[in-house]
Amino acid sequence: MAVELSTSINIKEPRWDQSTFEGRAKHFFTVTDPRNILLSNEQLESAHKIITDYRKGVVSPGLSEDELWRAKYIFDSAFHPDTGEKMILIGRMSAQVPMNMTITGCMMTFYKTTPAVVMWQWINQSFNAIVNYTNRSGDAPLTVSQLGTAYVSATTGAVATALGLNALTKHVSPLFGRFVPFAAVAAANCINIPLMRQRELKHGIPITDENDNRLGESTQAAQQAISQVVVSRILMASPGMAIPPFLMNHLEKKAFLRKFPWMSAPIQVGLVGFCLVFATPLCCALFPQKSSMSVSRLEPELQEKIRASHPGVERVFFNKGL
């Protein structure tokens, strides 16, 4: 007779130790697995039911520990950790590799003409806006006006950076020109992410103690969370936008690509995809998803409130977003 699964497994936290880079990397290799976007609504709803029931102390008949963890990662890949809403498909972290490899590969192939630069930077920032909104921290909604401002500002910044650098690199080695899309993406990330999450910077993000008791909202925590995400996103793009230019610069001098120039885009997309398979989870793992900071670094009024109501709390925790 099968033994019923214990209800004491802590599925609020990832399966692996998040205080180590290795543990976070294992977690994000699972969360960003592109195969998760192929899951049907029935599979997502089944995982949602298993996790929701388990949190209430109800164990599905015959459920094993491995099946529980599998359900948790399906649940985490599709549902927002703060709002509980099902996330937009292309905004999920599991869509990062297939979407980014296609967009980035094309940005790096078609970068020489102004119409191509404008079109691909616009497509990239449209995608980034969806990802940044989908993976925001907290449960506070953004207005249509705030979304529009962030989207237009980031797209304008990316296009202006790309066109400006294209003009500067006309008289230098063609290899330098290949790095223009990366510079544009880095600049746009510095604009897009803070603007898309501007409400968090203005009103703060939820902070809790180590037992998940909500203590308030902090703008200082929001600043730390957003800066970590900006760094992660820029580094995430780096291998896929820094390594292929050298390889493509070499390959385009060979007879094969001279004979079949149409193969340039598929090869570039494939190279970017290979880099992103590893860069996406490893760069997500640079900082803990459940980030923390000392109470002494919070806003003075929030410090007073916490010390009055929870005198033993020295550190607060928050979801930094992705």
Side-chain angles (χ1 to χ4, degrees):
M1 185 175 178
V3 178
E4 188 175 278
L5 186 66
S6 167
T7 56
S8 62
I9 299 170
N10 183 12
I11 59 169
K12 289 183 179 179
E13 302 295 334
R15 189 172 193 175
W16 298 281
D17 180 7
Q18 296 301 283
S19 66
T20 68
F21 178 76
E22 182 183 357
R24 295 195 296 271
K26 287 179 179 178
H27 167 69
F28 281 109
F29 266 108
T30 308
V31 169
T32 62
D33 187 341
R35 293 174 296 179
N36 287 336
I37 62 173
L38 302 176
L39 297 171
S40 66
N41 277 328
E42 290 75 18
Q43 289 172 300
L44 296 180
E45 292 304 327
S46 173
H48 186 280
K49 184 177 186 306
I50 289 171
I51 297 305
T52 304
D53 286 349
Y54 189 84
R55 286 173 176 170
K56 295 175 182 175
V58 178
V59 179
S60 302
L63 185 70
S64 69
E65 185 173 345
D66 283 340
E67 288 170 339
L68 175 66
W69 283 112
R70 173 62 181 152
K72 177 201 162 39
Y73 276 102
I74 291 174
F75 178 88
D76 286 351
S77 76
F79 296 91
H80 193 278
D82 292 330
T83 65
E85 296 173 352
K86 187 184 290 183
M87 295 185 284
I88 303 164
L89 180 64
I90 64 171
R92 299 173 194 170
M93 292 310 292
S94 51
Q96 283 286 294
V97 172
M99 291 298 296
N100 267 327
M101 67 184 280
T102 305
I103 295 170
T104 304
C106 289
M107 271 199 302
M108 295 175 67
T109 302
F110 310 110
Y111 66 92
K112 294 180 180 178
T113 66
T114 298
V117 168
V118 171
M119 184 180 81
W120 285 105
Q121 289 293 343
W122 168 69
I123 290 173
N124 186 50
Q125 290 314 311
S126 298
F127 171 64
N128 280 346
I130 293 170
V131 172
N132 293 337
Y133 175 74
T134 304
N135 294 282
R136 67 198 183 282
S137 175
D139 48 17
L142 279 171
T143 65
V144 173
S145 172
Q146 289 169 331
L147 281 172
T149 300
Y151 174 61
V152 171
S153 301
T155 304
T156 303
V159 171
T161 302
L163 293 179
L165 290 174
N166 262 352
L168 291 173
T169 56
K170 283 180 179 176
H171 306 294
V172 296
S173 166
L175 179 60
F176 285 99
R178 292 183 179 276
F179 289 96
V180 167
F182 173 57
V185 166
N189 272 329
C190 294
I191 300 168
N192 195 330
I193 296 172
L195 281 173
M196 193 60 68
R197 296 176 61 175
Q198 60 186 289
R199 196 182 190 287
E200 299 169 38
L201 291 170
K202 188 180 292 184
H203 300 290
I205 57 175
I207 57 171
T208 67
D209 62 16
E210 60 183 356
N211 297 315
D212 289 331
N213 297 309
R214 192 157 171 165
L215 303 174
E217 289 77 35
S218 169
T219 55
Q220 290 294 112
Q223 290 174 25
Q224 177 175 306
I226 291 169
S227 63
Q228 289 178 347
V229 171
V230 169
V231 170
S232 293
R233 290 287 189 84
I234 292 174
L235 292 176
M236 194 185 296
S238 299
M241 301 189 84
I243 297 172
F246 290 104
L247 297 175
M248 291 305 297
N249 204 52
H250 175 72
L251 290 173
E252 285 180 359
K253 296 173 184 175
K254 302 295 181 181
F256 177 75
L257 279 183
R258 286 179 179 172
K259 188 176 180 181
F260 303 104
W262 57 270
M263 282 295 293
S264 180
I267 291 173
Q268 188 108 260
V269 168
L271 287 171
V272 172
F274 179 78
C275 292
L276 284 173
V277 164
F278 298 97
T280 300
L282 292 177
C283 289
C284 282
L286 287 174
F287 305 102
Q289 179 65 34
K290 187 177 181 179
S291 196
S292 69
M293 66 192 308
S294 170
V295 170
S296 61
R297 291 180 55 204
L298 297 172
E299 302 88 309
E301 63 276 12
L302 191 54
Q303 289 184 40
E304 290 178 17
K305 177 186 171 184
I306 292 172
R307 284 174 178 147
S309 58
H310 298 79
V313 174
E314 295 296 330
R315 293 194 74 79
V316 295
F317 301 84
F318 50 91
N319 170 29
K320 72 173 175 62
L322 288 170

